[in-house]
Amino acid sequence: IDYQVGRTGRITPVAKFDEVQINGVKINKATLHNFDEIDRLGINQDSTVVIKRSGDVIPQVVECVDPDESIKEIQYCPVCFGDVAKDGVHLFCQNDACPAKFKGSIKNFVSREAMDIDGIGDKIIEQLCDIIDNPFGLYNLDMEDLLSLDKVEQKTANKVLREIEESKNVKLDKLVNALG
């Protein structure tokens, strides 16, 4: 079981398992949603689980073949080791400076539903986190900044700069989404 930390700090447990094929799709991980779901299924680190594709799309753990005492809720953020707090069934990282929250905010900011900046994927976002302080820092990037990133060539840098420039004309609802 691994954990993902999103832009809001929500910590989501994820089951990782030996790759299986369901309807021609290779799957090796599935969300466990929250610790209440883990308790309900009786899942621990060594459990054998049954997987299905919910809606024939999303991998889902539907059963634990060998239920046992389930794993306990984590006490610290798996990324920054900051404190966590429970809100309903979800755990949230309380550290405003958590790198995973910052990465998630940039990922949301550049997404199609927000500023729609094509060409900035996870690998570039990971590197951008080291050179900008907030998502608006994207608008201060220049060619030199982008070319200094690992595996970013002139063509990609040109595209990203063009996309950033075009995003300045986004509709208000997308800007509000980008702000989270």
Side-chain angles (χ1 to χ4, degrees), residues 26-54:
K26 294 178 183 177
I27 299 170
N28 62 5
K29 62 184 175 181
T31 182
L32 292 168
H33 304 288
N34 55 60
F35 283 91
D36 285 2
E37 181 71 359
I38 289 172
D39 282 343
R40 185 182 73 75
L41 293 169
I43 294 176
N44 63 48
Q45 286 288 0
D46 299 316
S47 293
T48 301
V49 295
V50 176
I51 306 295
K52 80 170 192 174
R53 289 180 64 206
S54 179

Side-chain angles (χ1 to χ4, degrees), residues 22-158:
I22 301 175
N23 298 336
V25 177
K26 294 178 183 177
I27 299 170
N28 62 5
K29 62 184 175 181
T31 182
L32 292 168
H33 304 288
N34 55 60
F35 283 91
D36 285 2
E37 181 71 359
I38 289 172
D39 282 343
R40 185 182 73 75
L41 293 169
I43 294 176
N44 63 48
Q45 286 288 0
D46 299 316
S47 293
T48 301
V49 295
V50 176
I51 306 295
K52 80 170 192 174
R53 289 180 64 206
S54 179
D56 206 28
V57 178
I58 301 168
Q60 178 181 3
V61 176
V62 292
E63 180 185 348
C64 182
V65 175
D66 52 355
D68 199 354
E69 184 176 330
S70 58
I71 64 168
K72 303 293 180 216
E73 287 182 0
I74 58 176
Q75 302 300 309
Y76 299 98
C77 173
V79 175
C80 71
F81 305 106
D83 290 334
V84 298
K86 192 164 186 173
D87 186 2
V89 295
H90 299 288
L91 292 178
F92 290 86
C93 174
Q94 298 300 293
N95 179 6
D96 289 336
C98 178
K101 289 167 76 171
F102 182 54
K103 181 180 173 186
S105 70
I106 294 175
K107 189 173 184 173
N108 177 68
F109 191 87
V110 302
S111 71
R112 178 171 285 125
E113 297 79 20
M115 299 305 284
D116 195 16
I117 303 174
D118 195 27
I120 301 181
D122 288 342
K123 290 179 182 176
I124 291 178
I125 289 172
E126 191 78 38
Q127 297 175 75
L128 287 174
C129 288
D130 295 332
I131 62 174
I132 62 174
D133 295 330
N134 60 61
F136 293 108
L138 293 168
Y139 295 99
N140 296 323
L141 294 174
D142 59 22
M143 182 64 71
E144 187 177 316
D145 293 326
L146 292 172
L147 291 176
S148 72
L149 303 178
D150 188 39
K151 298 187 180 178
V152 173
E153 302 293 330
Q154 183 84 30
K155 184 177 178 181
T156 300
N158 281 330

